[in-house]
Amino acid sequence: MKVRIKEVAVAAGVSAATVSKVLSGRADYPVHARTAERVRRVARDLGYVPDIAARHLRTRQTGQLGVVLEAVGPSEPDSLLGGLSVSHAVRRTFDGAIMAGLSEAARELDVPALVVYPGGDLDVRSFLDGRVDGLLVSCDPLRGHALLRGLTDAPVPIVALWTQVAPAGIGVVDVDHAYGAGLAVRHLLELRHRRIAFYGGGAGSGVEHFAQREAGYRQALEHAGLTPLPAIHDGGRLLQAVRDGVTAVFAETDLGAAAAFHALHGAGLRVPADVSLVGFDDIQGAEYIAGGLTTVYHPAAEMAVAGVQSLVARLEGESPRTTLLPPRLIQRRSTAPVQGR
Amino acid sequence: MKVRIKEVAVAAGVSAATVSKVLSGRADYPVHARTAERVRRVARDLGYVPDIAARHLRTRQTGQLGVVLEAVGPSEPDSLLGGLSVSHAVRRTFDGAIMAGLSEAARELDVPALVVYPGGDLDVRSFLDGRVDGLLVSCDPLRGHALLRGLTDAPVPIVALWTQVAPAGIGVVDVDHAYGAGLAVRHLLELRHRRIAFYGGGAGSGVEHFAQREAGYRQALEHAGLTPLPAIHDGGRLLQAVRDGVTAVFAETDLGAAAAFHALHGAGLRVPADVSLVGFDDIQGAEYIAGGLTTVYHPAAEMAVAGVQSLVARLEGESPRTTLLPPRLIQRRSTAPVQGR
DNA sequence: CTGTTAGCGCCTTCAA
DNA sequence: TTGAAGGCGCTAACAG
């Protein structure tokens, strides 16, 4: 049978109230140092662990943070590809990174536990059941995020991860995709490329992050006095663009860069000798794409850390804020100075 | 202010007990259908959500499952490599897959929430605080799993993931690494390879799974009347082995396969024309290794699903059991029938 | 079929 | 500085 506070009290020769005062964690109760010491020792010897359910009921708070991983994909392997579809695998790496970041931040900030809701047909109201003091919603960047809309006036603070469009009152933490794209483009500019193509759906994809990456691309070029090219999302047109003088390609994702490389390579073009190629995300395996893909590291774990920090700050009374994390360039071997042609 | 059960009771013209009986989820209480219907409607109209803390305290159970991700790595990018170290990235993909599997299984089995402990200097006793009804421990396959040792007589059922060595009383779910290795070797045998090398640390690495993969390799060869070769974990020796007649290489991991390919490629050997190559794990990016690596898919998400199922079964009274999940072969382009030489 | 009663274990007044 | 009392919101047992 588990040890209760009453038993500790009896063993220590004090009342339950005193034990509570000593062990509740709050230091502002007046307890004699010797008494406190004795209580602590007895509690330890007896292996006393406060019952969390009773404490939650009494204090009306848990210290726990809820996590909704909207992005956690299905576990079924995609039989068409023999294994898991590649984009699923990418998603999972991000999910893993996010979990790692959440765990680490929780540890640092003394969050006792993270409550992960299994998702599915989540009812928004299930968040006001007293299980958590705040909620982190990791949005799926490829889909919308209907969840957030129902959370406008939730009874606990909410922080959205991986998006920049959230209703008022909801904090936001995201990667600065536009800045990351600028990093990639400026790297190519420094290598004296002047005709730089954007490969991917961009704004036309309807995906927030891809639109931002294209915007970052355009802005960096315009800032350099150059004219951005329309987004290309097709191998044939990419080849045409290269024939028309493009010397460098910024792909919206590493997966896109792999596809671009495939098209280029198939047409006998060499990377980086004939065309420089930069991706975005630094996915696992980027090392093996195009002989070592230069790309933009996507700080997913750092984003999760910032999310926990932001939520804890909210719990401590701060207002909702927006945090954008700067990606950084990872130089490998798919970019080189432009060659005279 | 939140709605309490009492208010629902008053609004519906019944007692709090009746409301509880209707909404507790258990169907075995005798309540008049019309009464139940009215209660449900009133509760919905009022937006009533049962207070989880009070319910936990009263029922002494939560329905929640705890998760310890021993394997969640640090979030700091490894600056030496410019990005995250590759093995960290692999780890994260597995962590993401495990979270996806856990979430999915929790959804299917009506587990209301997963409680993720942040790890760190975890005190075993923190699991008997009434937060969870059972615990899943995802072990780090590359390190030991000290945690399990302290969990021998925990007050809640425990299931260990990703290991086969656990103290008595702890259920186990793992991938069948030996079987997976057999799959790889038999694939090579069917391509008429007879001199097949094992590339990796194997039993000598001290890593449980790698030892099992080597054992599976040896067993498959012996079963075919062939003699296994000593494990090779060095590019130079691998080349020597190929010069000595080896025509196929089974690498203990996909990352190892990438290294083997690098050594082979550097020496002018072609894969699969000169040497066939098989990996293990089907990591993200395997598509790009060695021109498309044939490998063994590691069912991490499926393992997590099985873990939740196993734990829920324990909760329903079953005994601890051991579950081994069969990997399966993913054929790509790094293996070919042996060439006469 | 429904209501009354009595706690679950803890923390927080308030009085001593 | 310590202890006694009360109650957080819910559900299980029992009575009606």
Side-chain angles (χ1 to χ4, degrees):
Chain A
M1 200 49 195
K2 283 179 58 178
V3 182
R4 301 296 172 223
I5 199 172
K6 182 70 191 165
E7 302 163 48
V8 176
V10 170
V14 295
S15 74
T18 301
V19 177
S20 173
K21 284 168 189 164
V22 174
L23 300 179
S24 68
R26 303 179 43 182
D28 52 349
Y29 282 115
V31 179
H32 195 100
R34 258 216 312 283
T35 311
E37 181 48 42
R38 182 156 36 93
V39 167
R40 260 187 283 269
R41 186 168 42 72
V42 170
R44 187 159 26 77
D45 293 352
L46 261 43
Y48 169 68
V49 176
D51 185 277
I52 229 71
R55 177 178 283 178
H56 289 175
L57 176 58
R58 180 61 235 239
T59 62
R60 309 276 52 197
Q61 50 179 351
T62 66
Q64 295 174 163
L65 301 183
V67 177
V68 181
L69 292 178
E70 205 184 354
V72 161
S75 75
E76 290 304 312
D78 180 338
S79 53
L80 291 175
L81 289 172
L84 208 60
S85 81
V86 180
S87 64
H88 267 155
V90 172
R91 179 81 50 79
R92 285 195 177 164
T93 305
F94 284 129
D95 285 339
I98 287 172
M99 282 308 302
L102 294 177
S103 289
E104 183 177 296
R107 206 178 308 144
E108 308 266 299
L109 296 174
D110 289 318
V111 173
L114 298 169
V115 175
V116 177
Y117 291 98
D121 51 348
L122 258 172
D123 186 348
V124 174
R125 291 181 307 179
S126 54
F127 306 144
L128 37 102
D129 61 5
R131 223 183 287 262
V132 299
D133 293 350
L135 196 66
L136 283 157
V137 180
S138 174
C139 299
D140 182 335
L142 296 186
R143 292 179 305 189
H145 11 67
L147 214 57
L148 289 182
R149 283 195 284 276
L151 253 26
T152 316
D153 40 25
V156 298
I158 314 263
V159 170
L161 246 43
W162 233 2
T163 180
Q164 284 159 239
V165 292
I170 294 185
V172 158
V173 179
D174 197 6
V175 168
D176 195 337
H177 299 273
Y179 175 82
L183 242 35
V185 171
R186 284 196 296 277
H187 169 62
L188 293 170
L189 291 171
E190 279 165 16
L191 294 171
R192 293 190 302 283
H193 292 276
R194 286 299 170 266
R195 304 267 296 168
I196 302 172
F198 179 88
Y199 186 76
S205 68
V207 175
E208 178 187 348
H209 292 165
F210 297 161
Q212 290 163 348
R213 290 174 188 185
E214 188 186 359
Y217 152 84
R218 304 184 75 86
Q219 203 184 350
L221 282 185
E222 283 163 2
H223 186 80
L226 298 169
T227 310
L229 274 35
I232 298 171
H233 201 5
D234 171 81
R237 293 194 189 178
L238 182 65
L239 294 175
Q240 185 58 51
V242 171
R243 279 192 292 268
D244 292 348
V246 159
T247 61
V249 177
F250 167 48
E252 155 187 278
T253 66
D254 287 353
L255 254 22
F261 174 75
H262 188 77
L264 262 15
H265 189 72
L269 263 45
R270 293 159 304 162
V271 172
D274 299 319
V275 183
S276 280
L277 182 61
V278 184
F280 200 120
D281 283 341
D282 194 26
I283 63 171
Q284 179 189 326
E287 179 67 39
Y288 310 116
I289 297 173
L293 185 67
T294 291
T295 187
V296 178
Y297 171 74
H298 176 295
E302 292 82 343
M303 179 179 74
V305 169
V308 174
Q309 288 169 339
S310 176
L311 189 52
V312 168
R314 286 286 298 281
L315 257 17
E316 288 167 354
E318 290 188 21
S319 310
R321 64 189 187 210
T322 294
T323 307
L324 255 32
L325 277 88
R328 57 177 215 289
L329 191 75
I330 307 292
Q331 290 192 40
R332 292 203 181 91
R333 294 168 299 283
S334 66
T335 49
V338 71
Q339 303 296 317
R341 327 205 317 161
Chain B
M1 198 51 193
K2 283 179 57 177
V3 182
R4 301 298 173 220
I5 197 170
K6 183 70 190 165
E7 301 163 49
V8 176
V10 169
V14 295
S15 73
T18 300
V19 176
S20 172
K21 283 168 190 165
V22 173
L23 301 178
S24 67
R26 302 180 44 182
D28 52 348
Y29 279 117
V31 179
H32 195 99
R34 255 213 316 279
T35 312
E37 182 46 42
R38 181 157 34 96
V39 167
R40 258 187 285 269
R41 185 169 43 73
V42 170
R44 186 158 29 78
D45 292 350
L46 261 44
Y48 169 69
V49 176
D51 186 275
I52 228 71
R55 179 179 279 177
H56 289 174
L57 176 58
R58 181 63 239 237
T59 63
R60 308 277 55 201
Q61 50 178 356
T62 65
Q64 294 174 166
L65 301 183
V67 177
V68 181
L69 292 179
E70 204 181 356
V72 162
S75 74
E76 289 306 310
D78 181 338
S79 53
L80 290 176
L81 290 173
L84 207 60
S85 81
V86 181
S87 65
H88 266 157
V90 171
R91 179 78 52 79
R92 285 194 177 166
T93 305
F94 283 131
D95 284 341
I98 287 172
M99 282 309 301
L102 294 178
S103 289
E104 182 177 295
R107 205 176 311 145
E108 307 266 300
L109 297 173
D110 290 317
V111 174
L114 298 168
V115 175
V116 177
Y117 292 98
D121 51 347
L122 257 173
D123 187 347
V124 175
R125 290 181 308 178
S126 55
F127 304 144
L128 35 103
D129 62 4
R131 221 182 289 259
V132 298
D133 292 349
L135 196 66
L136 283 157
V137 181
S138 174
C139 300
D140 184 336
L142 297 185
R143 293 180 303 192
H145 12 67
L147 214 57
L148 289 181
R149 283 196 284 277
L151 253 26
T152 316
D153 41 25
V156 297
I158 315 263
V159 169
L161 247 41
W162 234 3
T163 180
Q164 285 160 238
V165 294
I170 294 185
V172 158
V173 179
D174 196 7
V175 168
D176 194 338
H177 299 273
Y179 174 82
L183 242 34
V185 172
R186 283 196 296 278
H187 170 62
L188 294 170
L189 289 172
E190 279 165 14
L191 296 171
R192 293 188 302 283
H193 292 276
R194 287 299 171 266
R195 304 267 296 169
I196 303 172
F198 179 89
Y199 186 75
S205 68
V207 176
E208 179 188 349
H209 292 164
F210 297 161
Q212 291 162 348
R213 291 174 188 186
E214 188 186 0
Y217 153 83
R218 305 185 74 87
Q219 204 185 350
L221 283 184
E222 283 164 0
H223 187 81
L226 298 170
T227 310
L229 271 38
I232 299 171
H233 202 4
D234 171 81
R237 292 196 189 176
L238 181 66
L239 294 175
Q240 186 58 51
V242 171
R243 281 191 290 269
D244 291 349
V246 159
T247 62
V249 178
F250 167 48
E252 160 186 275
T253 66
D254 287 353
L255 253 26
F261 175 75
H262 189 77
L264 262 14
H265 189 73
L269 286 127
R270 293 159 304 162
V271 172
D274 299 318
V275 183
S276 280
L277 182 61
V278 184
F280 200 121
D281 283 341
D282 194 27
I283 63 172
Q284 179 187 327
E287 179 68 37
Y288 311 114
I289 298 173
L293 186 66
T294 292
T295 187
V296 177
Y297 172 73
H298 176 295
E302 292 83 342
M303 179 178 76
V305 168
V308 174
Q309 288 170 339
S310 175
L311 189 52
V312 169
R314 286 287 299 282
L315 256 19
E316 289 168 352
E318 290 188 21
S319 310
R321 63 187 188 210
T322 293
T323 306
L324 255 33
L325 278 90
R328 57 177 214 289
L329 190 75
I330 308 290
Q331 291 192 40
R332 291 201 182 89
R333 294 168 298 282
S334 68
T335 49
V338 70
Q339 303 297 320
R341 321 199 329 154

